[in-house]
Amino acid sequence: TSAEQRRRGATVIAVANQKGGVAKTTSVASLGAAFAEHGKRVLLVDLDAQACLTFSLGVDPDEVETSINEVLLGKVDAAEARVACEDGVDLIPSMIELAGAEAQLLPRPGREYVLRTALEPLTGDYDVILIDCSPSLGVLTLNALTAAHGLVIPMPCEMLSHRGVGQLLDTVADVQRILNRDLEVLGILPTMYDGRSNHAQAVLADVGERYDLPVLSPPIPKTVRFAEAPAVGRSILTTARTSRGAKAYRDVAAALVKSL
Ligand code: ADP
Ligand code: MG
């Protein structure tokens, strides 16, 4: 299949949802650490001007000299921007100026292909590249979807939280038609799941059918441990090794790792 043919290099997975606060960044950091535990060579790309992923991996966005910003503008190679993090993963950091880079990309030809092209020289160095998207469907997220083989859509199991998924899926269909035929939705990742809540159970049961998409398993439980992790620059997989949240991310990663 085409999926197997391209597996000579890294599998690129975008983690996107145009809503903020749905656990995109938490999922990228945690899945990345989990893939690294499997011995996979992992690169994380922070594509959000808020730089939360960068910060959560112990890199100060204000001190970053070479970021995804310069990579997208063609000023440096992606290899020069990456830094090694304590979680056993490499990171291409973000910084606040990324918002400006987005504006500078807009008038450029092939603007949706910039990230894909920039990452190409690195695909031999990694087994998996995870892209943390910003909460929008703008040109940066289009770049992520164009660079990706797979898309994971984190979605809290709360009322109305899946409004907007339809809009994201419309964008995905456009990307598949025009920019990247190979893009495959790997699934919805249910996050912040409170198993005691009937409503959360109902949302979880309904969402896959409603959008005709796979639902990744298990759901990630809601736990305060996630709030504590970024303060020390490590993901929950190290700060709370045996917590339910860490275990859930490990199990999701173990299922995904088979398709890398
Ligand atoms: P996004 O990147 O989609 O904006 P984040 O990953 O930054 O979302 O998560 C938003 C907030 O929710 C953060 O404060 C994070 O610590 C918290 N959070 C993420 N996952 C969970 C969870 N499973 N349980 C409790 N809090 C969580
Ligand atoms: Mg985020």
Side-chain angles (χ1 to χ4, degrees), residues 71-123:
V71 174
L72 292 174
L73 295 177
K75 292 180 186 162
V76 301
D77 293 338
E80 285 174 53
R82 64 188 156 170
V83 290
C85 298
E86 288 192 57
D87 265 349
V89 301
D90 285 353
L91 168 74
I92 299 184
S94 179
M95 62 187 304
I96 203 80
E97 269 88 59
L98 183 56
E102 180 161 21
Q104 290 184 53
L105 278 183
L106 277 177
R108 296 200 175 187
R111 62 194 175 192
E112 291 94 353
Y113 293 94
V114 171
L115 180 65
R116 181 189 183 121
T117 307
L119 292 178
E120 243 153 42
L122 295 185
T123 54

Side-chain angles (χ1 to χ4, degrees), residues 172-194:
V172 167
D174 284 345
V175 169
Q176 287 167 327
R177 200 161 42 83
I178 302 167
L179 298 166
N180 177 13
R181 273 167 207 271
D182 289 338
L183 178 63
E184 180 191 354
V185 183
L186 298 175
I188 290 174
L189 176 61
T191 57
M192 305 181 191
Y193 180 62
D194 178 0

Side-chain angles (χ1 to χ4, degrees), residues 8-201:
R8 272 172 284 143
T11 300
V12 180
I13 300 176
V15 177
N17 183 329
Q18 76 275 30
K19 284 196 67 172
V22 300
K24 290 182 290 296
T25 299
T26 304
S27 297
V28 167
S30 303
L31 291 174
F35 286 137
E37 287 180 356
H38 279 270
K40 299 295 174 189
R41 298 163 302 164
V42 181
L43 175 68
L44 308 183
V45 180
D46 191 347
L47 210 55
D48 186 352
Q50 307 269 333
C52 294
L53 178 68
T54 299
F55 178 74
S56 76
L57 289 172
V59 177
D60 182 348
D62 293 331
E63 305 276 297
V64 167
E65 283 178 18
T66 313
S67 72
I68 188 69
N69 191 43
E70 287 75 35
V71 174
L72 292 174
L73 295 177
K75 292 180 186 162
V76 301
D77 293 338
E80 285 174 53
R82 64 188 156 170
V83 290
C85 298
E86 288 192 57
D87 265 349
V89 301
D90 285 353
L91 168 74
I92 299 184
S94 179
M95 62 187 304
I96 203 80
E97 269 88 59
L98 183 56
E102 180 161 21
Q104 290 184 53
L105 278 183
L106 277 177
R108 296 200 175 187
R111 62 194 175 192
E112 291 94 353
Y113 293 94
V114 171
L115 180 65
R116 181 189 183 121
T117 307
L119 292 178
E120 243 153 42
L122 295 185
T123 54
D125 294 355
Y126 298 98
D127 299 303
V128 58
I129 299 177
L130 291 171
I131 307 172
D132 186 21
C133 291
S134 65
S136 87
L137 291 175
V139 70
L140 292 177
T141 297
L142 290 177
N143 263 275
L145 296 176
T146 302
H149 305 115
L151 167 64
V152 169
I153 306 172
M155 207 198 78
C157 300
E158 282 159 13
M159 185 136 55
L160 300 182
S161 61
H162 56 79
R163 273 181 161 193
V165 172
Q167 198 190 352
L168 174 58
L169 294 177
D170 287 347
T171 302
V172 167
D174 284 345
V175 169
Q176 287 167 327
R177 200 161 42 83
I178 302 167
L179 298 166
N180 177 13
R181 273 167 207 271
D182 289 338
L183 178 63
E184 180 191 354
V185 183
L186 298 175
I188 290 174
L189 176 61
T191 57
M192 305 181 191
Y193 180 62
D194 178 0
R196 295 163 306 178
S197 150
N198 292 335
H199 177 73
Q201 287 178 19

